[in-house]
């Protein structure tokens, strides 16, 4: 085993867990598209070196999904829609230190 140092200041976990068709889960509420949009926006802002967008398994709040956790902020967004991506990115950028960009533009 080797041990390294995590190079990211923030990690954004997007639940993409998929359950049976009749069950409630984030995947049935567009969470894959939300994860892709978050990643695309982070890349477009040149933040990929500092911010990692990662798909996650169930965050145990399925009924409130799609769910997005941000570490080390301990921010937990529920009922996320594609229209919320910019707000989440702005929150993430605000906490970067030193901030690589002043603020994202829409
Ligand atoms: S399926 Fe996303 S929190 Fe459970």
């Amino acid at each position: 085993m080797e041990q390294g140092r995590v190079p990211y200041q923030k990690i954004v976990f997007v639940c993409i867990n998929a359950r049976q068709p009749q069950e409630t889960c984030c995947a049935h509420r567009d969470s894959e598209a939300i994860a892709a949009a978050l990643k695309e926006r982070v890349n477009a802002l040149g933040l990929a070196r500092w911010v990692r967008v990662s798909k996650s398994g169930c965050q145990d709040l399925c009924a409130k999904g799609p769910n997005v956790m941000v570490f080390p902020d301990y921010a937990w967004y529920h009922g996320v829609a594609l229209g919320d991506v910019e707000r989440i990115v702005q929150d993430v950028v605000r906490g970067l230190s030193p901030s690589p960009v002043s603020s994202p533009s829409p």
Side-chain angles (χ1 to χ4, degrees):
M1 177 175 87
E2 284 184 39
Q3 182 176 350
R5 183 170 172 80
V6 174
Y8 307 108
Q9 290 185 29
K10 303 275 183 99
I11 302 178
V12 180
F13 289 103
V14 183
C15 174
I16 58 151
N17 187 51
R19 298 191 182 284
Q20 295 300 312
Q22 71 279 9
E23 294 180 309
T24 300
C25 67
C26 295
H28 294 165
R29 295 176 175 164
D30 241 3
S31 63
E32 283 273 8
I34 291 164
L38 281 165
K39 190 168 232 169
E40 184 179 310
R41 190 69 182 122
V42 164
N43 287 339
L45 291 168
L47 298 173
R49 183 174 159 199
W50 295 279
V51 178
R52 173 80 179 178
V53 177
S54 188
K55 297 174 183 176
S56 86
C58 182
Q59 297 177 7
D60 279 337
L61 273 181
C62 315
K64 294 182 104 180
N67 295 299
V68 176
M69 282 182 179
V70 180
F71 288 93
D73 295 356
Y74 294 93
W76 200 359
Y77 302 92
H78 312 293
V80 176
L82 279 169
D84 299 319
V85 165
E86 190 60 33
R87 153 81 196 286
I88 293 171
V89 170
Q90 286 179 18
D91 288 352
V92 167
V93 167
R94 194 172 305 119
L96 291 175
S97 179
S99 183
V101 293
S102 54
S103 68
S105 55

